Amino acid sequence: MENNRSLILYIYHVLTQHSNTERYLNASQISRYIKEEFNLVEEPNRKTIYSHLKQLKELSDLGLLNGELLSVEQNNKVVGHYIIPDFTKSEIKLLCDAVASSRFISKTYSKELISKLSASYGKEFANKYNHILESKSNNHRTYNADFFDSIEELSDAIEKHKKVTFQYLQYDLNKNLEPKYTENNGYITVSPYYLIWAINHYYLFCKPVTKDERRFLRVDKIRNVVISEDKIEPLPAHFNIHDYSRNQAFMFGGENETIRFRCQMRMLGQVIDFFGEDVSIKPLDQEFFEVTVFTSIDSIKYWVLQYITAIDQIRPVKLRNIIADYLEDAIARINHADK
């Protein structure tokens, strides 16, 4: 028979994998699962199971278990036990859905992460994602093999207020990732400030040492992170990352300023869906409303272009001129291509 230390871990494993609020296990069932899953010669006796359940309950009450161990009583008699995980099923599903749909986490690693995330709800929960994961291409490029290592290094640097050096990548015509910059073998040095999840990607908010503006860089395109001994350039004392990033239509960074434009009423849903319910909207008449957002020109310009058939009266003038130049250039190239 297994020693007591192993057995208590076996019991905990069985409860996390096979019990929940809708399905509790008695000592005989726990004993049977242990024998089957851990290839024991015989089932542990029920008295030993009961003894270890009491110990697990004490650990649970002290908050030392991942989850809460509870018992089910009928007619003043305990008839079963189950564990409530720290995360609810809907919370775990939210996390698993994000992993399953992520384009930069490979099929194999997605399976591993979902298995870990859903461990508290058993194999049946994780198996629900098999058909979704099968749709992920087996030929998906594993250029992001360093992705999680990069997150650890960047998080460490942010915590220590240290600069980092790394290669930032871009695609070539063969769909291979190569260094975006030619100088220094593609390496750049930045002051890292925050890691942010936005628009289905993980971004590093940082300031390159050779640039005056703070930028967002895709973490899945960062490789070979090295933490420097140099301290970062500090952000302004009043800087708030939530206020800065909340209206970033595209994660380009730049300095935020007040942007205004007039929209046709048919745009009302798109504006609220994108910028949130607290976006500043001023009705002008039955046909138009004015939008005011605090964001950067680099971030908003492509969003405005996307809906330009329903947007006008763009301010500041600099943004309006950029949009006009883009449209004039596009018209000229289209007309030239038709000749």
Side-chain angles (χ1 to χ4, degrees), residues 175-240:
K175 301 179 183 178
N176 294 315
L177 282 166
E178 61 181 10
K180 181 175 182 179
Y181 305 103
T182 56
E183 300 84 4
N184 301 319
N185 197 28
Y187 283 88
I188 61 172
T189 300
V190 306
S191 291
Y193 302 117
Y194 295 97
L195 288 167
I196 298 174
W197 177 268
I199 319 178
N200 202 32
H201 286 289
Y202 215 16
Y203 289 89
L204 172 68
F205 180 62
C206 62
K207 182 180 181 299
V209 296
T210 58
K211 305 287 184 181
D212 293 329
E213 292 183 332
R214 296 178 286 270
R215 313 297 292 178
F216 289 98
L217 300 179
R218 288 255 301 267
V219 176
D220 56 307
K221 293 186 177 180
I222 290 175
R223 183 174 65 192
N224 300 329
V225 179
V226 177
I227 301 176
S228 168
E229 290 301 318
D230 299 330
K231 288 288 187 179
I232 62 171
E233 299 177 39
L235 289 167
H238 64 277
F239 185 86
N240 184 298

Side-chain angles (χ1 to χ4, degrees), residues 25-279:
L25 302 178
N26 59 36
S28 296
Q29 292 169 317
I30 294 172
S31 181
R32 186 159 53 251
Y33 273 121
I34 291 174
K35 180 178 183 297
E36 293 173 357
E37 297 197 8
F38 296 99
N39 299 316
L40 302 186
V41 177
E42 58 183 10
E43 295 180 4
N45 67 68
R46 285 184 295 174
K47 288 186 178 180
T48 305
I49 298 292
Y50 286 133
S51 174
H52 287 315
L53 282 170
K54 289 181 181 180
Q55 294 176 18
L56 282 174
K57 179 60 177 173
E58 292 175 0
L59 293 174
S60 173
D61 292 342
L62 292 172
L64 299 178
L65 291 185
N66 180 16
E68 182 181 4
L69 176 60
L70 297 175
S71 300
V72 178
E73 291 188 8
Q74 293 179 358
N75 300 321
N76 296 322
K77 180 180 180 181
V78 175
V79 295
H81 311 268
Y82 64 96
I83 283 183
I84 298 179
D86 291 333
F87 288 96
T88 66
K89 187 173 290 188
S90 59
E91 291 170 335
I92 293 295
K93 186 179 187 308
L94 179 66
L95 296 172
C96 290
D97 286 349
V99 171
S101 61
S102 174
R103 295 176 59 188
F104 57 84
I105 302 179
S106 69
K107 179 177 177 178
T108 300
Y109 207 7
S110 293
K111 288 183 176 180
E112 292 179 9
L113 283 176
I114 289 174
S115 177
K116 292 177 182 178
L117 286 169
S118 61
S120 298
Y121 286 98
K123 296 177 182 178
E124 292 181 2
F125 187 93
N127 289 341
K128 294 178 181 179
Y129 286 89
N130 288 343
H131 70 286
I132 299 175
L133 295 176
E134 286 306 315
S135 65
K136 278 197 170 185
S137 173
N138 287 316
N139 296 322
H140 181 76
R141 294 178 181 272
T142 57
Y143 68 83
N144 59 339
D146 297 331
F147 175 70
F148 291 96
D149 290 336
S150 295
I151 291 176
E152 288 190 24
E153 292 293 328
L154 293 170
S155 298
D156 193 25
I158 291 169
E159 184 178 343
K160 295 177 179 178
H161 306 287
K162 299 284 189 177
K163 292 180 180 178
V164 291
T165 299
F166 52 75
Q167 287 181 311
Y168 194 61
L169 311 176
Q170 66 178 3
Y171 282 108
D172 62 18
L173 290 175
N174 294 317
K175 301 179 183 178
N176 294 315
L177 282 166
E178 61 181 10
K180 181 175 182 179
Y181 305 103
T182 56
E183 300 84 4
N184 301 319
N185 197 28
Y187 283 88
I188 61 172
T189 300
V190 306
S191 291
Y193 302 117
Y194 295 97
L195 288 167
I196 298 174
W197 177 268
I199 319 178
N200 202 32
H201 286 289
Y202 215 16
Y203 289 89
L204 172 68
F205 180 62
C206 62
K207 182 180 181 299
V209 296
T210 58
K211 305 287 184 181
D212 293 329
E213 292 183 332
R214 296 178 286 270
R215 313 297 292 178
F216 289 98
L217 300 179
R218 288 255 301 267
V219 176
D220 56 307
K221 293 186 177 180
I222 290 175
R223 183 174 65 192
N224 300 329
V225 179
V226 177
I227 301 176
S228 168
E229 290 301 318
D230 299 330
K231 288 288 187 179
I232 62 171
E233 299 177 39
L235 289 167
H238 64 277
F239 185 86
N240 184 298
I241 187 60
H242 175 70
D243 292 340
Y244 179 85
S245 61
R246 65 188 300 183
N247 291 324
Q248 291 276 322
F250 294 96
M251 307 302 284
F252 291 139
E255 295 302 317
N256 282 2
E257 57 185 289
T258 300
I259 308 289
R260 291 188 175 89
F261 47 86
R262 188 178 74 161
C263 291
Q264 295 177 7
M265 279 297 176
R266 63 188 175 93
M267 279 287 296
L268 183 60
Q270 286 93 326
V271 169
I272 295 175
D273 285 345
F274 192 87
F275 293 105
E277 294 182 2
D278 57 348
V279 62

Side-chain angles (χ1 to χ4, degrees), residues 3-13 51-53 55-56 59:
N3 61 49
N4 288 339
R5 182 178 299 178
S6 297
L7 187 55
I8 195 170
L9 293 176
Y10 292 167
I11 295 171
Y12 177 67
H13 170 82
S51 174
H52 287 315
L53 282 170
Q55 294 176 18
L56 282 174
L59 293 174

